[in-house]
Amino acid sequence: MNRNLIPPLLCFAVLSGLAAHRENPTFKSVAIATLGGALVAWLCLWLLGRLLYLFNRKVRAAHGWTVVNETVARNFLFLIPYTVLALIADQILGWNATLTFASAGIMTSGTAVGADLMKLGGGKIANMLLPMAGGMGFTTLWMTAGMLLRVLAR
Amino acid sequence: MTFERASSLDAARSGQFHMASPAGSPVSQFASPPNFPGYTPQVPWQSPPPVQGFAPGPPMPPPRANAPKKPWWSILLMMVSPGQVIAQGLGKIPWPFALSVSGVAFAIFFFQTGLDRHHVGPVGWIHCFLLALLGGVYGTAGIAAIAAVAWSISRLIGGQQTPEWVIRAVALSYSSALVYGIVGLVFNLFFRWNTSISFGVTGVLWALGPMMTVFRQLTNGKLVHSVALATFCGALVLLGWGLLAT
């Protein structure tokens, strides 16, 4: 497994756990949401990477899957500030807005992946639109899975 | 009419021509004030305006690739492609203009916080406007202070940018907060939605994206440092808002 993926996966685990804690603060619920959130995020990151790999012919030819996967993992480090802010908002300010932070973080990280792929020689339009569309799909899938996990854990 | 210097195509393109006019032609006659016995000028002498394309002028500045002509374009571009705005040297945006972007963004954000409370409780309009004023101060002085802190930290890790550049860049990062704030204000005023979190906080969160690009530039591309700096500054902004407006 790519080592750079560990911090983003931890972030997803924290965000998922926070959302579950707000709804049902039991150990079982939080544990299932945390583990499930990280696993679904891993799948989503892989899918996003594959989508970008598929539509970036030049990058694919010049650098291969490893570099695309690395770029996705590295840029999802941008999720860290959003996770810290979500923790502050939840624990200090008392808001129930974790998923807002998560979706903003996913979209920002996705855009950063696109920008990096452009630097590697990828197309401008593809790397502006695809990360946005992929980010939206990622957010929807991850949030729906999180909601289902929370329902299952009740 | 002849041209003295058109030795190269570049000179011709940059408009560096000198027009050599024969003695007695209208141009040479009025290039300086007339001076002959009995002549008294009725109005202060003014040189004729230079003729576009012919008069000698200062050398043209080097062209900037795709640099936005108006600061407003830089605001919109900063939302979509912050790296491009930074690569163009932040366009021609003076720091007061950049700070006014964050100032107005936070004024609207704080105003919405007041309006949300106005919808549900006995909070008057004066309180809302005072909050907006506080937001304006926070968005200018507060953001400048946070940018100064970021600049100080960046110097410790080898950053080379000037404080003025950092203030301009950080303040301009809040262009997305400004756009979200304006849209949220419309929904708040016309549909009475509570928009301070759904639009206000979302806008501030979106501002973290351009800010991380700015910090990446500030830390010479060091991703971990830029993420740490963005986390620190983002937390300061959020806690400041939570302390002042909620």
Side-chain angles (χ1 to χ4, degrees):
Chain A
M1 190 178 129
N2 187 347
R3 247 180 32 189
N4 275 343
L5 265 179
I6 295 171
L9 290 180
L10 282 175
C11 289
F12 279 113
V14 170
L15 289 167
S16 191
L18 265 181
H21 185 263
R22 272 270 157 196
E23 208 173 283
N24 183 14
T26 59
F27 176 77
K28 186 185 158 197
S29 166
V30 174
I32 290 177
T34 304
L35 283 174
L39 275 173
V40 176
W42 193 6
L43 175 73
C44 289
L45 286 169
W46 183 83
L47 282 174
L48 181 68
R50 279 287 160 189
L51 179 80
L52 294 168
Y53 179 69
L54 191 71
F55 286 95
N56 274 290
R57 206 177 46 183
K58 281 184 187 170
V59 179
R60 193 169 64 209
H63 303 284
W65 163 247
T66 315
V67 170
V68 174
N69 192 26
E70 185 69 32
T71 307
V72 171
R74 196 178 57 243
N75 281 291
F76 266 82
L77 288 175
F78 283 156
L79 207 64
I80 294 172
Y82 292 93
T83 310
V84 174
L85 295 193
L87 274 168
I88 290 172
D90 192 279
Q91 298 297 310
I92 298 174
L93 302 173
W95 299 349
N96 179 17
T98 305
L99 296 181
T100 309
F101 288 80
S103 68
I106 292 169
M107 295 304 286
T108 304
S109 306
T111 312
V113 174
D116 262 14
L117 287 176
M118 269 190 251
K119 282 181 202 162
L120 290 172
K124 273 190 179 177
I125 302 291
N127 286 305
M128 273 178 87
L129 297 180
L130 273 180
M132 282 176 83
M136 279 181 204
F138 189 146
T139 310
T140 311
L141 189 62
W142 185 73
M143 283 187 185
T144 311
M147 194 185 68
L148 286 174
L149 283 170
R150 288 197 294 276
V151 171
L152 284 174
R154 272 180 197 161
Chain B
M1 192 182 288
T2 55
F3 297 121
E4 272 181 356
R5 181 175 157 254
S7 56
S8 71
L9 190 60
D10 287 339
R13 278 185 181 147
S14 63
Q16 289 177 328
F17 288 120
H18 292 259
M19 194 168 77
S21 353
S25 75
V27 172
S28 68
Q29 202 174 341
F30 295 108
S32 56
N35 184 18
F36 49 84
Y39 172 76
T40 311
Q42 298 299 309
V43 289
W45 175 258
Q46 288 180 332
S47 299
V51 184
Q52 189 68 35
F54 290 96
M60 284 180 70
R64 242 180 211 164
N66 301 324
K69 286 177 183 140
K70 292 176 183 172
W72 286 108
W73 283 114
S74 296
I75 291 177
L76 295 175
L77 200 60
M78 193 72 179
M79 281 177 67
V80 187
S81 178
Q84 198 182 335
V85 180
I86 292 166
Q88 290 159 356
L90 293 175
K92 294 171 183 171
I93 303 157
W95 66 266
F97 182 85
L99 274 178
S100 72
V101 170
S102 58
V104 175
F106 276 93
I108 294 173
F109 181 24
F110 277 49
F111 186 55
Q112 284 178 55
T113 313
L115 283 178
D116 284 359
R117 283 198 238 156
H118 176 73
H119 293 326
V120 292
V123 171
W125 283 97
I126 293 173
H127 182 86
C128 295
F129 284 115
L130 283 175
L131 266 179
L133 196 66
L134 187 64
V137 174
Y138 186 64
T140 47
I143 294 299
I146 288 170
V149 170
W151 172 78
S152 314
I153 296 171
S154 79
R155 295 293 287 183
L156 296 176
I157 51 178
Q160 298 292 320
Q161 302 291 350
T162 60
E164 191 239 346
W165 185 92
V166 181
I167 289 172
R168 275 198 304 161
V170 170
L172 209 60
S173 299
Y174 285 94
S175 54
S176 52
L178 177 64
V179 174
Y180 267 95
I182 291 168
V183 177
L185 192 61
V186 171
F187 278 97
N188 200 314
L189 289 173
F190 290 100
F191 302 101
R192 293 177 68 85
W193 288 9
N194 290 333
T195 54
S196 66
I197 289 186
S198 55
F199 283 87
V201 172
T202 307
V204 172
L205 288 180
W206 272 98
L208 272 180
M211 213 193 283
M212 273 189 277
T213 312
V214 168
F215 289 153
R216 217 166 165 178
Q217 176 83 7
L218 195 60
T219 56
N220 303 320
K222 291 169 190 157
L223 188 68
V224 176
H225 289 159
S226 63
V227 166
L229 210 50
T231 307
F232 179 67
C233 292
L236 280 183
V237 170
L238 195 69
L239 284 172
W241 174 72
L243 201 72
L244 293 171
T246 58

mmCIF file of all heavy atoms in Angstrom, chain A residues 16 20 26-38 148-150 152-154:
data_model
loop_
_atom_site.group_PDB
_atom_site.id
_atom_site.type_symbol
_atom_site.label_atom_id
_atom_site.label_comp_id
_atom_site.label_asym_id
_atom_site.label_seq_id
_atom_site.Cartn_x
_atom_site.Cartn_y
_atom_site.Cartn_z
ATOM 1 N N SER A 16 -15.528 10.358 9.451
ATOM 2 C CA SER A 16 -16.637 9.421 9.520
ATOM 3 C C SER A 16 -17.024 9.138 10.978
ATOM 4 O O SER A 16 -18.216 9.112 11.327
ATOM 5 C CB SER A 16 -16.219 8.132 8.811
ATOM 6 O OG SER A 16 -17.316 7.310 8.628
ATOM 7 N N ALA A 20 -20.588 9.994 12.972
ATOM 8 C CA ALA A 20 -21.320 8.936 13.694
ATOM 9 C C ALA A 20 -21.508 9.304 15.159
ATOM 10 O O ALA A 20 -22.571 9.062 15.735
ATOM 11 C CB ALA A 20 -20.565 7.621 13.566
ATOM 12 N N THR A 26 -22.229 5.836 20.588
ATOM 13 C CA THR A 26 -21.866 4.559 21.222
ATOM 14 C C THR A 26 -20.590 4.040 20.576
ATOM 15 O O THR A 26 -20.287 4.382 19.423
ATOM 16 C CB THR A 26 -22.981 3.506 21.032
ATOM 17 O OG1 THR A 26 -23.176 3.318 19.642
ATOM 18 C CG2 THR A 26 -24.293 3.940 21.669
ATOM 19 N N PHE A 27 -19.875 3.191 21.310
ATOM 20 C CA PHE A 27 -18.592 2.685 20.804
ATOM 21 C C PHE A 27 -18.770 1.918 19.500
ATOM 22 O O PHE A 27 -18.021 2.104 18.544
ATOM 23 C CB PHE A 27 -17.929 1.795 21.867
ATOM 24 C CG PHE A 27 -16.651 1.172 21.377
ATOM 25 C CD1 PHE A 27 -15.477 1.917 21.313
ATOM 26 C CD2 PHE A 27 -16.618 -0.155 20.952
ATOM 27 C CE1 PHE A 27 -14.306 1.355 20.840
ATOM 28 C CE2 PHE A 27 -15.445 -0.724 20.474
ATOM 29 C CZ PHE A 27 -14.284 0.030 20.425
ATOM 30 N N LYS A 28 -19.820 1.051 19.472
ATOM 31 C CA LYS A 28 -20.043 0.214 18.293
ATOM 32 C C LYS A 28 -20.273 1.069 17.041
ATOM 33 O O LYS A 28 -19.653 0.859 15.991
ATOM 34 C CB LYS A 28 -21.267 -0.678 18.563
ATOM 35 C CG LYS A 28 -21.547 -1.700 17.480
ATOM 36 C CD LYS A 28 -22.847 -2.416 17.805
ATOM 37 C CE LYS A 28 -23.462 -3.028 16.568
ATOM 38 N NZ LYS A 28 -24.856 -3.371 16.757
ATOM 39 N N SER A 29 -21.133 2.049 17.178
ATOM 40 C CA SER A 29 -21.476 2.920 16.044
ATOM 41 C C SER A 29 -20.244 3.667 15.533
ATOM 42 O O SER A 29 -19.970 3.702 14.323
ATOM 43 C CB SER A 29 -22.553 3.904 16.478
ATOM 44 O OG SER A 29 -22.680 4.926 15.552
ATOM 45 N N VAL A 30 -19.497 4.255 16.463
ATOM 46 C CA VAL A 30 -18.316 5.048 16.078
ATOM 47 C C VAL A 30 -17.244 4.150 15.459
ATOM 48 O O VAL A 30 -16.639 4.492 14.433
ATOM 49 C CB VAL A 30 -17.763 5.840 17.295
ATOM 50 C CG1 VAL A 30 -16.468 6.545 16.944
ATOM 51 C CG2 VAL A 30 -18.787 6.845 17.777
ATOM 52 N N ALA A 31 -17.056 2.954 16.044
ATOM 53 C CA ALA A 31 -16.018 2.040 15.535
ATOM 54 C C ALA A 31 -16.353 1.567 14.121
ATOM 55 O O ALA A 31 -15.485 1.579 13.227
ATOM 56 C CB ALA A 31 -15.879 0.852 16.478
ATOM 57 N N ILE A 32 -17.608 1.175 13.915
ATOM 58 C CA ILE A 32 -18.005 0.707 12.566
ATOM 59 C C ILE A 32 -17.873 1.829 11.553
ATOM 60 O O ILE A 32 -17.351 1.644 10.442
ATOM 61 C CB ILE A 32 -19.446 0.139 12.605
ATOM 62 C CG1 ILE A 32 -19.454 -1.180 13.371
ATOM 63 C CG2 ILE A 32 -20.000 -0.070 11.196
ATOM 64 C CD1 ILE A 32 -20.823 -1.803 13.539
ATOM 65 N N ALA A 33 -18.334 3.027 11.937
ATOM 66 C CA ALA A 33 -18.264 4.173 11.011
ATOM 67 C C ALA A 33 -16.812 4.526 10.694
ATOM 68 O O ALA A 33 -16.472 4.830 9.542
ATOM 69 C CB ALA A 33 -18.980 5.363 11.614
ATOM 70 N N THR A 34 -15.961 4.462 11.708
ATOM 71 C CA THR A 34 -14.546 4.830 11.507
ATOM 72 C C THR A 34 -13.864 3.853 10.546
ATOM 73 O O THR A 34 -13.247 4.282 9.553
ATOM 74 C CB THR A 34 -13.810 4.828 12.871
ATOM 75 O OG1 THR A 34 -14.498 5.710 13.745
ATOM 76 C CG2 THR A 34 -12.382 5.273 12.727
ATOM 77 N N LEU A 35 -14.010 2.569 10.824
ATOM 78 C CA LEU A 35 -13.366 1.566 9.966
ATOM 79 C C LEU A 35 -13.984 1.548 8.570
ATOM 80 O O LEU A 35 -13.281 1.555 7.554
ATOM 81 C CB LEU A 35 -13.496 0.173 10.610
ATOM 82 C CG LEU A 35 -12.542 -0.113 11.760
ATOM 83 C CD1 LEU A 35 -12.862 -1.455 12.396
ATOM 84 C CD2 LEU A 35 -11.085 -0.094 11.276
ATOM 85 N N GLY A 36 -15.318 1.547 8.543
ATOM 86 C CA GLY A 36 -16.019 1.514 7.248
ATOM 87 C C GLY A 36 -15.723 2.752 6.424
ATOM 88 O O GLY A 36 -15.509 2.679 5.210
ATOM 89 N N GLY A 37 -15.677 3.920 7.098
ATOM 90 C CA GLY A 37 -15.397 5.188 6.397
ATOM 91 C C GLY A 37 -14.024 5.159 5.731
ATOM 92 O O GLY A 37 -13.862 5.584 4.582
ATOM 93 N N ALA A 38 -13.036 4.609 6.466
ATOM 94 C CA ALA A 38 -11.678 4.523 5.913
ATOM 95 C C ALA A 38 -11.633 3.548 4.737
ATOM 96 O O ALA A 38 -11.004 3.832 3.707
ATOM 97 C CB ALA A 38 -10.698 4.094 6.996
ATOM 98 N N LEU A 148 -25.260 4.663 5.489
ATOM 99 C CA LEU A 148 -25.699 3.268 5.577
ATOM 100 C C LEU A 148 -25.028 2.552 6.749
ATOM 101 O O LEU A 148 -25.672 1.796 7.482
ATOM 102 C CB LEU A 148 -25.389 2.536 4.264
ATOM 103 C CG LEU A 148 -26.298 2.883 3.088
ATOM 104 C CD1 LEU A 148 -25.795 2.212 1.817
ATOM 105 C CD2 LEU A 148 -27.741 2.468 3.361
ATOM 106 N N LEU A 149 -23.735 2.826 6.915
ATOM 107 C CA LEU A 149 -22.995 2.203 8.028
ATOM 108 C C LEU A 149 -23.566 2.628 9.371
ATOM 109 O O LEU A 149 -23.699 1.812 10.287
ATOM 110 C CB LEU A 149 -21.519 2.593 7.947
ATOM 111 C CG LEU A 149 -20.677 1.854 6.893
ATOM 112 C CD1 LEU A 149 -19.318 2.517 6.751
ATOM 113 C CD2 LEU A 149 -20.498 0.394 7.292
ATOM 114 N N ARG A 150 -23.928 3.921 9.452
ATOM 115 C CA ARG A 150 -24.474 4.416 10.724
ATOM 116 C C ARG A 150 -25.828 3.784 11.012
ATOM 117 O O ARG A 150 -26.154 3.496 12.149
ATOM 118 C CB ARG A 150 -24.579 5.948 10.673
ATOM 119 C CG ARG A 150 -23.234 6.637 10.734
ATOM 120 C CD ARG A 150 -23.360 8.091 11.101
ATOM 121 N NE ARG A 150 -24.047 8.880 10.092
ATOM 122 C CZ ARG A 150 -23.457 9.411 9.015
ATOM 123 N NH1 ARG A 150 -22.184 9.216 8.817
ATOM 124 N NH2 ARG A 150 -24.149 10.119 8.173
ATOM 125 N N LEU A 152 -26.745 0.807 9.914
ATOM 126 C CA LEU A 152 -26.472 -0.608 10.251
ATOM 127 C C LEU A 152 -25.977 -0.766 11.691
ATOM 128 O O LEU A 152 -26.252 -1.773 12.342
ATOM 129 C CB LEU A 152 -25.423 -1.183 9.290
ATOM 130 C CG LEU A 152 -25.907 -1.536 7.883
ATOM 131 C CD1 LEU A 152 -24.737 -1.954 7.019
ATOM 132 C CD2 LEU A 152 -26.953 -2.661 7.939
ATOM 133 N N ALA A 153 -25.253 0.238 12.158
ATOM 134 C CA ALA A 153 -24.636 0.137 13.492
ATOM 135 C C ALA A 153 -25.617 0.413 14.626
ATOM 136 O O ALA A 153 -25.264 0.259 15.789
ATOM 137 C CB ALA A 153 -23.463 1.104 13.575
ATOM 138 N N ARG A 154 -26.814 0.847 14.287
ATOM 139 C CA ARG A 154 -27.793 1.165 15.348
ATOM 140 C C ARG A 154 -28.232 -0.080 16.129
ATOM 141 O O ARG A 154 -28.346 -1.151 15.566
ATOM 142 C CB ARG A 154 -29.022 1.823 14.729
ATOM 143 C CG ARG A 154 -28.863 3.318 14.629
ATOM 144 C CD ARG A 154 -30.090 3.936 14.016
ATOM 145 N NE ARG A 154 -29.769 5.282 13.561
ATOM 146 C CZ ARG A 154 -30.514 5.940 12.673
ATOM 147 N NH1 ARG A 154 -31.579 5.383 12.156
ATOM 148 N NH2 ARG A 154 -30.187 7.155 12.310
#
